[in-house]
Amino acid sequence: MSSRRNFIKKSGLASLGLLAAGAQANNMKAAAFKRKRIVKPLAISTWKNGMQANEAGWQVLKSGGRALDAVEQGVKVVEADPNDMSVGYGGRPDRDGIVTLDACIMDETGNAGSVCALENIKHPISVARRVMEKTPHVMLAGDGALQFAKEEGFVEENILTEKAKKQWQEWRKTSDYKPVINIENHDTIGMLALDAKGDISGACTTSGLAYKMHGRVGDSPIIGAGMYCDNEIGGAVATGMGELVMKTLGSFLVVELMNQGLSPQKAVEEAIARIVKKIPGYQDFQIGYLAINKAGEVGAYSLHRGFNYALYANDENRLIDSDYYLK
Ligand code: ASP
């Protein structure tokens, strides 16, 4: 047989294999849909501050609004809250005393927008949405992101609060850089929503790790790392030590695992298992994942104890402790 025919035969067999795998995945997805009644609308957000994000998102969702608006309105509440020192206004600065913000957003069409290392703007998530809706790009960084924000009418303001500044000045006395698991030096808000129409969107916004190097960008604004949605499948968000999430492209991985037929819970557990397998020293860091699928099933899992999330479904907003790996 000529090598060309051999090739065709082999690729034909390969595609048959792929078809079989695809059919199996479809069957598993169908089974997942049968498992449970579809719960919608719903909103799910990382950490305790997710409760207030969900409340705002629910105002949009309960009146039949779009998941995209729900996640933007939801995370904006946390961005504006000076008491959340890991997101937006009041966020802790980098080691040079500068607050730099990262955010991303995705809608039900697969459109995406993001900003990173953005300074002096209170609502990076809304700038990310404008990037998505008004530019041919997905991501704007630093000065370019700020310039675009100003052109779009966003007002520059000082987002370093006195409280955050004092803590940074205190930190500078030792300059000891050691992220503390679950302590508020990371606390990103990641939010996913499934609206009444069955559409999924997601948002993620953060000031990143406290006292990071100037210019450090984490997972949160990276589409597929900090957040990912596919309206045919589901969505995922990540929080915790961004470097570990970036190295495993965590949120995309979770959604792809759901595409292969895993439930949201099994998918987030597998994404954590991937970190455990691939990244030495993972024990020193916290990572938390949330996921939803089209059927309104949810998943949550973290490396360490202490990750919690807010779930608004069936007209009730609840704060729930996540299951975790390191028992
Ligand atoms: N993932 C964020 C980052 O690495 C931090 C966090 O989730 O708290 O920038």
Side-chain angles (χ1 to χ4, degrees), residues 47 86 102 185-189 204-209 212 216-221 226 238-243 245-246 286-287:
W47 304 106
S86 306
D102 299 336
N185 66 352
H186 57 80
D187 220 334
T188 299
I189 174 101
C204 188
T205 174
T206 189
S207 51
L209 298 179
K212 61 194 175 186
R216 179 266 187 189
V217 171
D219 61 315
S220 305
T239 181
M241 183 55 70
E243 281 71 7
V245 177
M246 293 160 94
Q286 174 64 307
I287 299 291

Side-chain angles (χ1 to χ4, degrees), residues 247-277:
K247 286 175 187 171
T248 51
L249 204 57
S251 291
F252 179 79
L253 175 63
V254 170
V255 173
E256 187 49 31
L257 288 166
M258 291 194 285
N259 187 40
Q260 303 298 326
L262 265 61
S263 68
Q265 185 59 36
K266 288 274 175 265
V268 289
E269 288 174 16
E270 176 57 30
I272 291 288
R274 193 72 60 93
I275 288 173
V276 168
K277 187 170 161 208

Side-chain angles (χ1 to χ4, degrees), residues 53-282:
N54 280 0
E55 286 294 344
W58 196 253
Q59 299 312 310
V60 176
L61 293 171
K62 74 174 184 198
S63 49
R66 195 174 165 201
L68 180 70
D69 294 320
V71 293
E72 182 189 11
Q73 293 310 318
V75 302
K76 274 180 81 172
V77 174
V78 184
E79 286 182 337
D81 181 358
N83 295 318
D84 189 313
M85 299 188 73
S86 306
V87 178
Y89 176 62
R92 290 193 180 87
D94 62 24
R95 58 183 57 183
D96 297 339
I98 304 163
V99 184
T100 63
L101 304 177
D102 299 336
C104 75
I105 194 159
M106 253 183 122
D107 74 8
E108 74 281 3
T109 70
N111 213 358
S114 102
V115 288
C116 66
L118 176 64
E119 294 175 26
N120 299 337
I121 299 287
K122 206 182 217 172
H123 290 299
I125 198 65
S126 299
V127 185
R129 181 167 175 175
R130 298 280 175 93
V131 173
M132 171 173 86
E133 290 178 339
K134 296 200 163 177
T135 80
H137 306 305
V138 169
M139 185 173 214
L140 292 179
D143 288 349
L146 179 60
Q147 186 187 326
F148 170 72
K150 289 198 286 188
E151 282 164 14
E152 284 296 311
F154 291 84
V155 179
E156 262 195 280
E157 55 192 305
N158 177 24
I159 54 172
L160 178 65
T161 56
E162 273 310 305
K163 185 176 167 193
K165 191 173 170 184
K166 279 211 179 80
Q167 289 188 6
W168 166 68
Q169 284 165 339
E170 210 36 52
W171 171 81
R172 267 211 309 183
K173 291 181 185 161
T174 57
S175 296
D176 181 20
Y177 183 70
K178 196 169 189 326
V180 185
I181 291 166
N182 288 328
I183 307 293
E184 248 210 287
N185 66 352
H186 57 80
D187 220 334
T188 299
I189 174 101
M191 181 170 181
L192 303 163
L194 173 68
D195 64 27
K197 274 173 63 191
D199 285 333
I200 291 173
S201 294
C204 188
T205 174
T206 189
S207 51
L209 298 179
Y211 320 132
K212 61 194 175 186
M213 288 172 72
H214 185 61
R216 179 266 187 189
V217 171
D219 61 315
S220 305
I222 311 287
I223 299 296
M227 190 273 300
Y228 193 73
C229 292
D230 181 324
N231 205 38
E232 287 178 46
I233 307 161
V237 284
T239 181
M241 183 55 70
E243 281 71 7
L244 279 64
V245 177
M246 293 160 94
K247 286 175 187 171
T248 51
L249 204 57
S251 291
F252 179 79
L253 175 63
V254 170
V255 173
E256 187 49 31
L257 288 166
M258 291 194 285
N259 187 40
Q260 303 298 326
L262 265 61
S263 68
Q265 185 59 36
K266 288 274 175 265
V268 289
E269 288 174 16
E270 176 57 30
I272 291 288
R274 193 72 60 93
I275 288 173
V276 168
K277 187 170 161 208
K278 298 271 179 191
I279 304 183
Y282 67 86

Side-chain angles (χ1 to χ4, degrees), residues 36 39-55 58 61 189-194 264-265 290-293 296-300 307-322:
K36 277 195 182 169
V39 178
K40 62 180 184 186
L42 74 78
I44 188 168
S45 306
T46 54
W47 304 106
K48 188 162 155 255
N49 282 344
M51 291 294 281
Q52 39 170 348
N54 280 0
E55 286 294 344
W58 196 253
L61 293 171
I189 174 101
M191 181 170 181
L192 303 163
L194 173 68
Q265 185 59 36
L290 298 180
I292 62 173
N293 66 8
E297 294 179 295
V298 305
F307 175 49
N308 54 15
Y309 62 99
L311 175 64
Y312 209 138
N314 299 318
D315 278 317
E316 196 192 351
N317 199 13
R318 286 182 302 145
L319 186 65
I320 301 168
D321 287 329
S322 167

